[in-house]
Amino acid sequence: MAVAELWETLKQAILAYTGLSPTAFFTAVAVAAALYHVVSGIFAPPPPPRQRPREEPEAEPLPPPVQLGEVDEEELRQYDGSDPKKPLLMAIKGQIYDVTQSRMFYGPGGPYALFAGKDASRALAKMSFEPQDLNGDTSGLGPFELDALQDWEYKFMSKYVKVGTVKKAFLGEEGTISTSPETATAEAETEKAPAAEHKPREVSSEEVKEKEAAADAASAES
């Protein structure tokens, strides 16, 4: 009932204000809406061109690992990542590995950059970043630390290429330094060997008699 009364009121208002019947009024509104849509589509600015996805440059392939053989700790420091033209190396338990492929971790600015160019066995076992632990000395480590170091070694063996070994210096007697235990042992044995004693030559009795006869002959002539 209320809806019918509202509709009658609306028809009378349309007729009074527009002079159109309700059907003609709504038809005119629909045509005006369609016309507005067409006109706005003609004069609207064109959509922006679709951007092509940016192609990221391909990463340069890593050079093949270079086998170094046996190097000392000073030579190993040259491969700490400060020279981008050299491979990035790191050692565990005296074994050197090429970690260039993980430069984001072991290169300059990486979380483990302090380990690069060194034998970091002690630091890895203790998970320490202290300078005094950045070496290959594993003496005094506990069983849990040795297990942690073993896990690190297995990880490096499975992921990275071994390229050499660290030449260790051994302290011999009297403070002498050798680069290998064999050399140190040989030097120690040489130092312990007693020097050969110099014995005077024994003179035979015949030589004494000959010298006495020559002296007598010389005195007789004089």
Side-chain angles (χ1 to χ4, degrees), residues 118-210:
K118 303 179 184 68
D119 187 332
S121 299
R122 191 173 190 84
L124 290 173
K126 301 176 67 175
M127 284 311 296
S128 169
F129 293 91
E130 298 297 329
Q132 63 267 23
D133 292 329
L134 296 174
N135 55 69
D137 182 16
T138 57
S139 60
L141 296 176
F144 293 104
E145 293 170 334
L146 291 175
D147 288 343
L149 179 59
Q150 189 69 51
D151 292 340
W152 276 104
E153 185 179 20
Y154 287 152
K155 175 184 177 181
F156 272 61
M157 291 172 62
S158 62
K159 186 175 182 180
Y160 304 115
V161 178
K162 177 185 171 184
V163 295
T165 56
V166 180
K167 185 189 303 181
K168 294 291 185 181
F170 297 88
L171 186 63
E173 296 183 1
E174 299 182 0
T176 58
I177 296 178
S178 173
T179 56
S180 64
E182 293 80 3
T183 307
T185 304
E187 291 177 354
E189 293 178 352
T190 303
E191 292 178 357
K192 292 180 180 178
E197 297 181 358
H198 179 71
K199 297 181 179 180
R201 188 174 65 87
E202 296 181 356
V203 180
S204 63
S205 58
E206 295 179 356
E207 292 180 354
V208 173
K209 292 179 180 180
E210 290 178 358

Side-chain angles (χ1 to χ4, degrees), residues 103-124:
R103 185 175 290 271
M104 61 183 302
F105 294 104
Y106 300 101
Y112 302 115
L114 290 175
F115 300 159
K118 303 179 184 68
D119 187 332
S121 299
R122 191 173 190 84
L124 290 173

Side-chain angles (χ1 to χ4, degrees), residues 3-89:
V3 175
E5 292 179 356
L6 180 61
W7 173 243
E8 290 296 332
T9 303
L10 181 61
K11 287 195 298 182
Q12 293 176 6
I14 293 173
L15 182 61
Y17 286 101
T18 63
L20 300 175
S21 64
T23 304
F25 173 77
F26 287 114
T27 303
V29 170
V31 172
L35 184 62
Y36 172 79
H37 180 73
V38 173
V39 173
S40 62
I42 295 174
F43 294 99
R50 186 177 180 180
Q51 295 182 354
R52 298 179 60 184
R54 182 180 299 177
E55 297 181 358
E56 297 183 358
E58 297 183 0
E60 296 182 1
L62 295 175
V66 179
Q67 294 295 326
L68 296 182
E70 191 178 32
V71 299
D72 57 28
E73 294 180 351
E74 187 64 29
E75 292 174 307
L76 181 58
R77 291 191 188 97
Q78 300 176 11
Y79 300 92
D80 61 354
S82 56
D83 187 351
K85 296 182 180 179
K86 291 183 178 180
L88 188 62
L89 305 182

